[in-house]
Amino acid sequence: MSISTENYETLDIVKTDVKDFLMVKEDSIKLKDHLTVLAFFGRHPKEKSTEALNLKEIIYDKFKGFKKFQIVALVTEDARVEADELFQEIASYEDLRFWHFVPLEERAILNTFNSLKNDFSLDQNLATSKVFIVDTDLSQRGRNDAREDDEKAKNKAIYEMNYYDCVEVAELKNKLASEDLRVLFTEYRQKRKGQFNSDTRRADDLKSKDEKN
């Protein structure tokens, strides 16, 4: 999606009823009522250190001040120690209170993953480099038509964007951070102010200073 100088479009709901955590002991950590970037780091989370660092620097640092925002990485129950080591590795001296490693039984991880719209499977370690956006109502957000303006002008075939690859720095910066999350937070601000509607709206709100909550 390209944000023009005149208008922008909402971020599509590509799937509803994403499975929340059923077996997590830390019951304060959940998808419901949060705007979540959801990752799957599985059995060996330290193998995802590159993805974690990219998420931290490009996404977390940019949006950590926004109300309800969180990054959640699902890991297996036997990966708690390794997940904590990775957390310490990326935390340094910074505040990572909105970043959570959530240990779950393997079946629970698969239940959540399979409730998302995707075209691939988790690897043998129940992990992937791709992340998903889940909104406060447990709906997955993305793009039913992810073509850029020039691709539309050339009548390129429509393709979707339902997830974002953390290994691809440009994708995180240009798609997830600069466009899709930004648009979604603008939608949420408008809803709180009673200004939201489902039609295309002026992009002046996107150009204004990001409103922290």
Side-chain angles (χ1 to χ4, degrees):
M1 181 209 65
S2 175
I3 299 176
S4 72
T5 58
E6 305 228 345
N7 55 61
Y8 71 98
E9 299 176 354
T10 55
L11 199 60
D12 297 319
I13 294 175
V14 299
K15 183 77 165 55
T16 58
D17 299 323
V18 174
K19 291 290 186 183
D20 212 338
F21 314 130
L22 301 178
M23 307 178 75
V24 63
K25 295 179 181 178
E26 297 84 349
D27 56 5
S28 62
I29 302 172
K30 58 182 181 179
L31 298 179
K32 179 69 174 174
D33 299 323
H34 292 81
L35 199 161
T36 306
V37 174
L38 179 62
F40 294 82
F41 285 0
R43 296 189 181 98
H44 301 292
K46 289 190 74 173
E47 293 182 357
K48 296 298 178 186
S49 58
T50 297
E51 289 91 327
L53 186 59
N54 288 344
L55 274 177
K56 190 266 177 190
E57 293 183 346
I58 299 171
I59 304 301
Y60 184 87
D61 287 352
K62 183 178 180 67
F63 295 102
K64 62 184 178 182
F66 287 80
K67 186 177 181 180
K68 299 184 182 295
F69 173 74
Q70 64 179 357
I71 290 181
V72 170
L74 302 187
V75 300
T76 57
E77 291 188 320
D78 59 356
R80 291 172 182 265
V81 173
E82 194 170 318
D84 186 62
E85 291 174 351
L86 178 56
F87 185 86
Q88 297 304 321
E89 182 181 320
I90 63 175
S92 211
Y93 297 100
E94 299 185 50
D95 176 12
L96 256 68
R97 64 180 133 165
F98 307 113
W99 180 302
H100 310 290
F101 285 100
V102 177
L104 294 175
E105 291 186 354
E106 294 182 6
R107 181 174 60 180
I109 292 174
L110 287 170
N111 283 343
T112 296
F113 178 78
N114 290 335
S115 71
L116 295 160
K117 186 173 185 180
N118 53 67
D119 54 8
F120 64 95
S121 299
L122 294 177
D123 67 20
Q124 61 184 3
N125 292 316
L126 297 181
T128 178
S129 64
K130 300 173 178 65
V131 296
F132 304 81
I133 298 175
V134 180
D135 71 16
T136 58
D137 298 316
L138 298 179
S139 292
Q140 179 184 351
R141 295 296 193 101
R143 290 287 163 191
N144 290 324
D145 183 351
R147 293 175 299 171
E148 300 288 353
D149 289 342
D150 60 334
E151 293 176 312
K152 293 178 181 179
K154 296 176 182 177
N155 292 318
K156 296 288 187 180
I158 294 175
Y159 60 90
E160 300 176 343
M161 176 165 278
N162 302 321
Y163 48 79
Y164 311 81
D165 195 331
C166 294
V167 176
E168 300 294 334
V169 171
E171 189 167 302
L172 286 185
K173 284 184 176 180
N174 301 330
K175 292 294 186 179
L176 183 55
S178 296
E179 294 187 355
D180 289 4
L181 281 176
R182 194 178 175 205
V183 165
L184 191 52
F185 275 114
T186 297
E187 174 187 322
Y188 277 32
R189 286 198 300 269
Q190 290 187 339
K191 284 180 177 177
R192 289 198 304 274
K193 295 178 180 180
Q195 299 172 345
F196 177 79
N197 60 65
S198 59
D199 299 324
T200 299
R201 292 166 305 279
R202 301 285 298 177
D204 294 334
D205 294 315
L206 287 176
K207 294 166 62 178
S208 65
K209 183 178 179 180
D210 285 339
E211 176 185 325
K212 299 293 183 73
N213 296 276

